[in-house]
PDB file of all heavy atoms in Angstrom:
ATOM      1  N   LEU F   1      30.491 -14.154 -15.128  1.00  0.00           N
ATOM      2  CA  LEU F   1      29.864 -14.021 -16.443  1.00  0.00           C
ATOM      3  C   LEU F   1      29.999 -15.280 -17.284  1.00  0.00           C
ATOM      4  O   LEU F   1      29.513 -15.344 -18.382  1.00  0.00           O
ATOM      5  CB  LEU F   1      30.472 -12.840 -17.201  1.00  0.00           C
ATOM      6  CG  LEU F   1      30.050 -11.458 -16.702  1.00  0.00           C
ATOM      7  CD1 LEU F   1      30.838 -10.381 -17.421  1.00  0.00           C
ATOM      8  CD2 LEU F   1      28.565 -11.245 -16.906  1.00  0.00           C
ATOM      9  N   VAL F   2      30.658 -16.294 -16.784  1.00  0.00           N
ATOM     10  CA  VAL F   2      30.830 -17.535 -17.526  1.00  0.00           C
ATOM     11  C   VAL F   2      29.467 -18.168 -17.800  1.00  0.00           C
ATOM     12  O   VAL F   2      28.588 -18.204 -16.931  1.00  0.00           O
ATOM     13  CB  VAL F   2      31.715 -18.517 -16.729  1.00  0.00           C
ATOM     14  CG1 VAL F   2      31.803 -19.865 -17.442  1.00  0.00           C
ATOM     15  CG2 VAL F   2      33.101 -17.920 -16.529  1.00  0.00           C
ATOM     16  N   ASP F   3      29.285 -18.636 -19.031  1.00  0.00           N
ATOM     17  CA  ASP F   3      28.042 -19.291 -19.465  1.00  0.00           C
ATOM     18  C   ASP F   3      26.853 -18.340 -19.441  1.00  0.00           C
ATOM     19  O   ASP F   3      25.711 -18.778 -19.329  1.00  0.00           O
ATOM     20  CB  ASP F   3      27.736 -20.521 -18.600  1.00  0.00           C
ATOM     21  CG  ASP F   3      28.795 -21.594 -18.744  1.00  0.00           C
ATOM     22  OD1 ASP F   3      29.375 -21.714 -19.845  1.00  0.00           O
ATOM     23  OD2 ASP F   3      29.059 -22.291 -17.747  1.00  0.00           O
ATOM     24  N   ARG F   4      27.100 -17.033 -19.573  1.00  0.00           N
ATOM     25  CA  ARG F   4      26.009 -16.071 -19.675  1.00  0.00           C
ATOM     26  C   ARG F   4      26.200 -15.216 -20.922  1.00  0.00           C
ATOM     27  O   ARG F   4      26.389 -14.025 -20.845  1.00  0.00           O
ATOM     28  CB  ARG F   4      25.960 -15.175 -18.443  1.00  0.00           C
ATOM     29  CG  ARG F   4      25.537 -15.906 -17.178  1.00  0.00           C
ATOM     30  CD  ARG F   4      25.601 -14.965 -16.005  1.00  0.00           C
ATOM     31  NE  ARG F   4      25.225 -15.657 -14.789  1.00  0.00           N
ATOM     32  CZ  ARG F   4      25.333 -15.130 -13.578  1.00  0.00           C
ATOM     33  NH1 ARG F   4      25.795 -13.907 -13.444  1.00  0.00           N
ATOM     34  NH2 ARG F   4      24.987 -15.808 -12.510  1.00  0.00           N
ATOM     35  N   PRO F   5      26.193 -15.834 -22.090  1.00  0.00           N
ATOM     36  CA  PRO F   5      26.493 -15.077 -23.309  1.00  0.00           C
ATOM     37  C   PRO F   5      25.483 -13.996 -23.641  1.00  0.00           C
ATOM     38  O   PRO F   5      25.779 -13.083 -24.382  1.00  0.00           O
ATOM     39  CB  PRO F   5      26.505 -16.156 -24.396  1.00  0.00           C
ATOM     40  CG  PRO F   5      25.620 -17.239 -23.860  1.00  0.00           C
ATOM     41  CD  PRO F   5      25.876 -17.245 -22.376  1.00  0.00           C
ATOM     42  N   HIS F   6      24.264 -14.091 -23.105  1.00  0.00           N
ATOM     43  CA  HIS F   6      23.236 -13.104 -23.445  1.00  0.00           C
ATOM     44  C   HIS F   6      22.881 -12.240 -22.242  1.00  0.00           C
ATOM     45  O   HIS F   6      21.789 -11.716 -22.141  1.00  0.00           O
ATOM     46  CB  HIS F   6      21.972 -13.807 -23.955  1.00  0.00           C
ATOM     47  CG  HIS F   6      22.228 -14.685 -25.145  1.00  0.00           C
ATOM     48  ND1 HIS F   6      22.660 -14.178 -26.351  1.00  0.00           N
ATOM     49  CD2 HIS F   6      22.142 -16.020 -25.294  1.00  0.00           C
ATOM     50  CE1 HIS F   6      22.816 -15.181 -27.211  1.00  0.00           C
ATOM     51  NE2 HIS F   6      22.513 -16.295 -26.596  1.00  0.00           N
ATOM     52  N   ALA F   7      23.848 -12.062 -21.348  1.00  0.00           N
ATOM     53  CA  ALA F   7      23.555 -11.346 -20.101  1.00  0.00           C
ATOM     54  C   ALA F   7      23.262  -9.882 -20.317  1.00  0.00           C
ATOM     55  O   ALA F   7      22.750  -9.221 -19.435  1.00  0.00           O
ATOM     56  CB  ALA F   7      24.732 -11.506 -19.138  1.00  0.00           C
ATOM     57  N   ASP F   8      23.583  -9.335 -21.484  1.00  0.00           N
ATOM     58  CA  ASP F   8      23.379  -7.911 -21.683  1.00  0.00           C
ATOM     59  C   ASP F   8      22.109  -7.601 -22.466  1.00  0.00           C
ATOM     60  O   ASP F   8      21.972  -6.524 -23.016  1.00  0.00           O
ATOM     61  CB  ASP F   8      24.591  -7.299 -22.394  1.00  0.00           C
ATOM     62  CG  ASP F   8      24.828  -7.920 -23.761  1.00  0.00           C
ATOM     63  OD1 ASP F   8      24.198  -8.939 -24.074  1.00  0.00           O
ATOM     64  OD2 ASP F   8      25.642  -7.367 -24.503  1.00  0.00           O
ATOM     65  N   ASN F   9      21.171  -8.552 -22.523  1.00  0.00           N
ATOM     66  CA  ASN F   9      19.957  -8.340 -23.306  1.00  0.00           C
ATOM     67  C   ASN F   9      18.759  -7.943 -22.460  1.00  0.00           C
ATOM     68  O   ASN F   9      17.647  -7.892 -22.962  1.00  0.00           O
ATOM     69  CB  ASN F   9      19.618  -9.619 -24.102  1.00  0.00           C
ATOM     70  CG  ASN F   9      20.646  -9.891 -25.174  1.00  0.00           C
ATOM     71  OD1 ASN F   9      21.320  -8.973 -25.630  1.00  0.00           O
ATOM     72  ND2 ASN F   9      20.779 -11.143 -25.579  1.00  0.00           N
ATOM     73  N   HIS F  10      18.954  -7.674 -21.164  1.00  0.00           N
ATOM     74  CA  HIS F  10      17.819  -7.447 -20.277  1.00  0.00           C
ATOM     75  C   HIS F  10      17.952  -6.144 -19.496  1.00  0.00           C
ATOM     76  O   HIS F  10      17.552  -6.051 -18.352  1.00  0.00           O
ATOM     77  CB  HIS F  10      17.671  -8.625 -19.315  1.00  0.00           C
ATOM     78  CG  HIS F  10      17.595  -9.953 -20.008  1.00  0.00           C
ATOM     79  ND1 HIS F  10      16.494 -10.332 -20.760  1.00  0.00           N
ATOM     80  CD2 HIS F  10      18.472 -10.976 -20.087  1.00  0.00           C
ATOM     81  CE1 HIS F  10      16.719 -11.542 -21.263  1.00  0.00           C
ATOM     82  NE2 HIS F  10      17.902 -11.947 -20.882  1.00  0.00           N
ATOM     83  N   PHE F  11      18.523  -5.138 -20.144  1.00  0.00           N
ATOM     84  CA  PHE F  11      18.717  -3.862 -19.475  1.00  0.00           C
ATOM     85  C   PHE F  11      17.383  -3.237 -19.073  1.00  0.00           C
ATOM     86  O   PHE F  11      17.236  -2.690 -17.980  1.00  0.00           O
ATOM     87  CB  PHE F  11      19.498  -2.913 -20.376  1.00  0.00           C
ATOM     88  CG  PHE F  11      19.825  -1.591 -19.748  1.00  0.00           C
ATOM     89  CD1 PHE F  11      20.862  -1.481 -18.843  1.00  0.00           C
ATOM     90  CD2 PHE F  11      19.094  -0.459 -20.060  1.00  0.00           C
ATOM     91  CE1 PHE F  11      21.172  -0.269 -18.262  1.00  0.00           C
ATOM     92  CE2 PHE F  11      19.397   0.756 -19.486  1.00  0.00           C
ATOM     93  CZ  PHE F  11      20.442   0.850 -18.585  1.00  0.00           C
ATOM     94  N   ASN F  12      16.394  -3.325 -19.948  1.00  0.00           N
ATOM     95  CA  ASN F  12      15.092  -2.739 -19.641  1.00  0.00           C
ATOM     96  C   ASN F  12      14.397  -3.467 -18.501  1.00  0.00           C
ATOM     97  O   ASN F  12      13.668  -2.864 -17.710  1.00  0.00           O
ATOM     98  CB  ASN F  12      14.202  -2.738 -20.878  1.00  0.00           C
ATOM     99  CG  ASN F  12      14.705  -1.772 -21.936  1.00  0.00           C
ATOM    100  OD1 ASN F  12      15.452  -0.853 -21.642  1.00  0.00           O
ATOM    101  ND2 ASN F  12      14.312  -1.997 -23.179  1.00  0.00           N
ATOM    102  N   ASP F  13      14.626  -4.773 -18.408  1.00  0.00           N
ATOM    103  CA  ASP F  13      14.085  -5.529 -17.285  1.00  0.00           C
ATOM    104  C   ASP F  13      14.692  -5.027 -15.978  1.00  0.00           C
ATOM    105  O   ASP F  13      14.011  -4.938 -14.953  1.00  0.00           O
ATOM    106  CB  ASP F  13      14.377  -7.018 -17.474  1.00  0.00           C
ATOM    107  CG  ASP F  13      13.729  -7.872 -16.396  1.00  0.00           C
ATOM    108  OD1 ASP F  13      12.612  -7.533 -15.971  1.00  0.00           O
ATOM    109  OD2 ASP F  13      14.346  -8.868 -15.981  1.00  0.00           O
ATOM    110  N   ALA F  14      15.983  -4.682 -16.026  1.00  0.00           N
ATOM    111  CA  ALA F  14      16.633  -4.137 -14.834  1.00  0.00           C
ATOM    112  C   ALA F  14      16.000  -2.807 -14.429  1.00  0.00           C
ATOM    113  O   ALA F  14      15.788  -2.540 -13.245  1.00  0.00           O
ATOM    114  CB  ALA F  14      18.130  -3.960 -15.081  1.00  0.00           C
ATOM    115  N   LEU F  15      15.680  -1.959 -15.405  1.00  0.00           N
ATOM    116  CA  LEU F  15      15.028  -0.689 -15.100  1.00  0.00           C
ATOM    117  C   LEU F  15      13.647  -0.912 -14.477  1.00  0.00           C
ATOM    118  O   LEU F  15      13.241  -0.195 -13.562  1.00  0.00           O
ATOM    119  CB  LEU F  15      14.886   0.153 -16.368  1.00  0.00           C
ATOM    120  CG  LEU F  15      16.167   0.781 -16.928  1.00  0.00           C
ATOM    121  CD1 LEU F  15      15.858   1.485 -18.256  1.00  0.00           C
ATOM    122  CD2 LEU F  15      16.783   1.753 -15.937  1.00  0.00           C
ATOM    123  N   THR F  16      12.931  -1.922 -14.970  1.00  0.00           N
ATOM    124  CA  THR F  16      11.620  -2.234 -14.407  1.00  0.00           C
ATOM    125  C   THR F  16      11.755  -2.665 -12.955  1.00  0.00           C
ATOM    126  O   THR F  16      10.999  -2.221 -12.080  1.00  0.00           O
ATOM    127  CB  THR F  16      10.943  -3.349 -15.221  1.00  0.00           C
ATOM    128  OG1 THR F  16      10.831  -2.936 -16.586  1.00  0.00           O
ATOM    129  CG2 THR F  16       9.556  -3.656 -14.674  1.00  0.00           C
ATOM    130  N   ARG F  17      12.719  -3.537 -12.687  1.00  0.00           N
ATOM    131  CA  ARG F  17      12.948  -3.997 -11.311  1.00  0.00           C
ATOM    132  C   ARG F  17      13.404  -2.858 -10.409  1.00  0.00           C
ATOM    133  O   ARG F  17      13.089  -2.836  -9.218  1.00  0.00           O
ATOM    134  CB  ARG F  17      13.982  -5.115 -11.303  1.00  0.00           C
ATOM    135  CG  ARG F  17      13.500  -6.414 -11.945  1.00  0.00           C
ATOM    136  CD  ARG F  17      14.654  -7.394 -12.115  1.00  0.00           C
ATOM    137  NE  ARG F  17      14.215  -8.636 -12.717  1.00  0.00           N
ATOM    138  CZ  ARG F  17      13.891  -9.731 -12.039  1.00  0.00           C
ATOM    139  NH1 ARG F  17      13.963  -9.722 -10.713  1.00  0.00           N
ATOM    140  NH2 ARG F  17      13.503 -10.830 -12.653  1.00  0.00           N
ATOM    141  N   LEU F  18      14.150  -1.929 -10.975  1.00  0.00           N
ATOM    142  CA  LEU F  18      14.651  -0.807 -10.194  1.00  0.00           C
ATOM    143  C   LEU F  18      13.511  -0.005  -9.589  1.00  0.00           C
ATOM    144  O   LEU F  18      13.633   0.530  -8.476  1.00  0.00           O
ATOM    145  CB  LEU F  18      15.515   0.096 -11.087  1.00  0.00           C
ATOM    146  CG  LEU F  18      16.115   1.340 -10.428  1.00  0.00           C
ATOM    147  CD1 LEU F  18      17.046   0.953  -9.276  1.00  0.00           C
ATOM    148  CD2 LEU F  18      16.875   2.162 -11.465  1.00  0.00           C
ATOM    149  N   ARG F  19      12.406   0.083 -10.268  1.00  0.00           N
ATOM    150  CA  ARG F  19      11.274   0.842  -9.745  1.00  0.00           C
ATOM    151  C   ARG F  19      10.680   0.201  -8.500  1.00  0.00           C
ATOM    152  O   ARG F  19       9.986   0.870  -7.727  1.00  0.00           O
ATOM    153  CB  ARG F  19      10.207   0.998 -10.832  1.00  0.00           C
ATOM    154  CG  ARG F  19      10.642   1.939 -11.955  1.00  0.00           C
ATOM    155  CD  ARG F  19       9.697   1.892 -13.138  1.00  0.00           C
ATOM    156  NE  ARG F  19       8.310   1.999 -12.740  1.00  0.00           N
ATOM    157  CZ  ARG F  19       7.312   1.426 -13.389  1.00  0.00           C
ATOM    158  NH1 ARG F  19       7.542   0.684 -14.478  1.00  0.00           N
ATOM    159  NH2 ARG F  19       6.082   1.574 -12.976  1.00  0.00           N
ATOM    160  N   ARG F  20      10.961  -1.084  -8.274  1.00  0.00           N
ATOM    161  CA  ARG F  20      10.526  -1.720  -7.030  1.00  0.00           C
ATOM    162  C   ARG F  20      11.455  -1.366  -5.878  1.00  0.00           C
ATOM    163  O   ARG F  20      11.032  -1.270  -4.738  1.00  0.00           O
ATOM    164  CB  ARG F  20      10.504  -3.243  -7.202  1.00  0.00           C
ATOM    165  CG  ARG F  20       9.448  -3.762  -8.152  1.00  0.00           C
ATOM    166  CD  ARG F  20       9.032  -5.159  -7.749  1.00  0.00           C
ATOM    167  NE  ARG F  20      10.179  -6.045  -7.632  1.00  0.00           N
ATOM    168  CZ  ARG F  20      10.549  -6.935  -8.546  1.00  0.00           C
ATOM    169  NH1 ARG F  20       9.855  -7.044  -9.668  1.00  0.00           N
ATOM    170  NH2 ARG F  20      11.586  -7.720  -8.354  1.00  0.00           N
ATOM    171  N   VAL F  21      12.739  -1.211  -6.191  1.00  0.00           N
ATOM    172  CA  VAL F  21      13.726  -0.925  -5.150  1.00  0.00           C
ATOM    173  C   VAL F  21      13.686   0.543  -4.759  1.00  0.00           C
ATOM    174  O   VAL F  21      13.814   0.895  -3.579  1.00  0.00           O
ATOM    175  CB  VAL F  21      15.143  -1.310  -5.636  1.00  0.00           C
ATOM    176  CG1 VAL F  21      16.181  -1.017  -4.553  1.00  0.00           C
ATOM    177  CG2 VAL F  21      15.188  -2.777  -6.028  1.00  0.00           C
ATOM    178  N   ALA F  22      13.524   1.421  -5.733  1.00  0.00           N
ATOM    179  CA  ALA F  22      13.561   2.867  -5.496  1.00  0.00           C
ATOM    180  C   ALA F  22      12.154   3.361  -5.165  1.00  0.00           C
ATOM    181  O   ALA F  22      11.361   3.654  -6.054  1.00  0.00           O
ATOM    182  CB  ALA F  22      14.112   3.585  -6.720  1.00  0.00           C
ATOM    183  N   ARG F  23      11.864   3.477  -3.901  1.00  0.00           N
ATOM    184  CA  ARG F  23      10.558   3.984  -3.486  1.00  0.00           C
ATOM    185  C   ARG F  23      10.467   5.467  -3.853  1.00  0.00           C
ATOM    186  O   ARG F  23      11.483   6.150  -4.006  1.00  0.00           O
ATOM    187  CB  ARG F  23      10.363   3.810  -1.982  1.00  0.00           C
ATOM    188  CG  ARG F  23      11.432   4.431  -1.131  1.00  0.00           C
ATOM    189  CD  ARG F  23      11.057   4.434   0.338  1.00  0.00           C
ATOM    190  NE  ARG F  23       9.954   5.338   0.599  1.00  0.00           N
ATOM    191  CZ  ARG F  23       9.481   5.581   1.830  1.00  0.00           C
ATOM    192  NH1 ARG F  23      10.002   4.966   2.866  1.00  0.00           N
ATOM    193  NH2 ARG F  23       8.490   6.430   1.996  1.00  0.00           N
ATOM    194  N   PRO F  24       9.255   5.998  -4.011  1.00  0.00           N
ATOM    195  CA  PRO F  24       9.113   7.409  -4.372  1.00  0.00           C
ATOM    196  C   PRO F  24       9.890   8.328  -3.434  1.00  0.00           C
ATOM    197  O   PRO F  24       9.872   8.160  -2.227  1.00  0.00           O
ATOM    198  CB  PRO F  24       7.598   7.636  -4.253  1.00  0.00           C
ATOM    199  CG  PRO F  24       7.007   6.295  -4.555  1.00  0.00           C
ATOM    200  CD  PRO F  24       7.959   5.301  -3.942  1.00  0.00           C
ATOM    201  N   GLY F  25      10.589   9.308  -4.034  1.00  0.00           N
ATOM    202  CA  GLY F  25      11.397  10.235  -3.261  1.00  0.00           C
ATOM    203  C   GLY F  25      12.852   9.839  -3.160  1.00  0.00           C
ATOM    204  O   GLY F  25      13.645  10.549  -2.538  1.00  0.00           O
ATOM    205  N   SER F  26      13.228   8.727  -3.788  1.00  0.00           N
ATOM    206  CA  SER F  26      14.619   8.264  -3.727  1.00  0.00           C
ATOM    207  C   SER F  26      15.504   9.088  -4.667  1.00  0.00           C
ATOM    208  O   SER F  26      15.030   9.701  -5.624  1.00  0.00           O
ATOM    209  CB  SER F  26      14.710   6.793  -4.123  1.00  0.00           C
ATOM    210  OG  SER F  26      14.018   5.965  -3.207  1.00  0.00           O
ATOM    211  N   LEU F  27      16.787   9.070  -4.375  1.00  0.00           N
ATOM    212  CA  LEU F  27      17.807   9.601  -5.278  1.00  0.00           C
ATOM    213  C   LEU F  27      18.473   8.403  -5.925  1.00  0.00           C
ATOM    214  O   LEU F  27      19.039   7.549  -5.243  1.00  0.00           O
ATOM    215  CB  LEU F  27      18.829  10.434  -4.508  1.00  0.00           C
ATOM    216  CG  LEU F  27      20.053  10.927  -5.294  1.00  0.00           C
ATOM    217  CD1 LEU F  27      19.629  11.808  -6.473  1.00  0.00           C
ATOM    218  CD2 LEU F  27      21.001  11.679  -4.371  1.00  0.00           C
ATOM    219  N   VAL F  28      18.397   8.317  -7.251  1.00  0.00           N
ATOM    220  CA  VAL F  28      18.846   7.133  -7.983  1.00  0.00           C
ATOM    221  C   VAL F  28      20.021   7.477  -8.886  1.00  0.00           C
ATOM    222  O   VAL F  28      19.956   8.450  -9.652  1.00  0.00           O
ATOM    223  CB  VAL F  28      17.694   6.545  -8.835  1.00  0.00           C
ATOM    224  CG1 VAL F  28      18.155   5.294  -9.579  1.00  0.00           C
ATOM    225  CG2 VAL F  28      16.488   6.233  -7.951  1.00  0.00           C
TER     226      VAL F  28
END
Protein backbone atom coordinates (compact mmCIF):
# COMPACT_ATOMS: atom_id res chain seq x y z
CA LEU A 1 0.00 0.00 0.00
CA VAL A 2 3.02 2.30 0.03
CA ASP A 3 2.58 5.34 -2.24
CA ARG A 4 -1.10 4.52 -2.81
CA PRO A 5 -2.83 7.15 -0.69
CA HIS A 6 -6.03 7.06 -2.76
CA ALA A 7 -6.29 3.30 -3.14
CA ASP A 8 -9.71 3.20 -1.52
CA ASN A 9 -11.46 5.50 -4.01
CA HIS A 10 -12.25 2.90 -6.68
CA PHE A 11 -14.55 0.43 -4.98
CA ASN A 12 -17.22 0.82 -7.65
CA ASP A 13 -14.64 0.20 -10.36
CA ALA A 14 -13.85 -3.08 -8.61
CA LEU A 15 -17.54 -4.04 -8.71
CA THR A 16 -17.63 -3.27 -12.43
CA ARG A 17 -14.58 -5.46 -13.06
CA LEU A 18 -16.09 -8.20 -10.92
CA ARG A 19 -18.89 -8.63 -13.43
CA ARG A 20 -16.27 -9.71 -15.97
CA VAL A 21 -14.85 -12.36 -13.65
CA ALA A 22 -18.18 -13.70 -12.36
CA ARG A 23 -19.87 -15.34 -15.32
CA PRO A 24 -23.66 -15.79 -15.05
CA GLY A 25 -24.59 -18.47 -12.54
CA SER A 26 -21.60 -17.85 -10.26
CA LEU A 27 -21.71 -17.74 -6.48
CA VAL A 28 -20.02 -14.50 -5.41
